Amino acid sequence: MSKVFKTFFTIFKILSIVTGVLFIIYFWNLDQKLMAWAYVQVNKIFDRKKADIKF
């Protein structure tokens, strides 16, 4: 019984940590801030390229 309880407690602890991290990401809107930073970096890279538009 002790091994079953220890396994259950470990699984519960892992799920609690994952839920806490996801709540923090959602609460502080970190996913949107990360994507905004990524868009800026991508735009910096592609804005340096010369446009190859031919008319």
Side-chain angles (χ1 to χ4, degrees):
M1 188 69 175
S2 176
K3 191 172 186 173
V4 172
F5 181 71
K6 199 179 279 190
T7 304
F8 176 74
F9 183 70
T10 303
I11 291 171
F12 180 75
K13 190 165 56 170
I14 291 170
L15 289 176
S16 296
I17 291 170
V18 168
T19 303
V21 168
L22 289 175
F23 178 76
I24 289 170
I25 289 172
Y26 174 76
F27 184 74
W28 278 323
N29 207 9
L30 295 178
D31 54 341
Q32 293 295 325
K33 292 177 184 176
L34 178 64
M35 288 307 296
W37 177 84
Y39 283 142
V40 169
Q41 302 308 315
V42 169
N43 283 334
K44 283 182 185 177
I45 292 169
F46 286 104
D47 285 346
R48 288 187 294 202
K49 287 177 57 175
K50 284 194 144 223
D52 55 353
I53 300 171
K54 296 180 183 178
F55 292 102

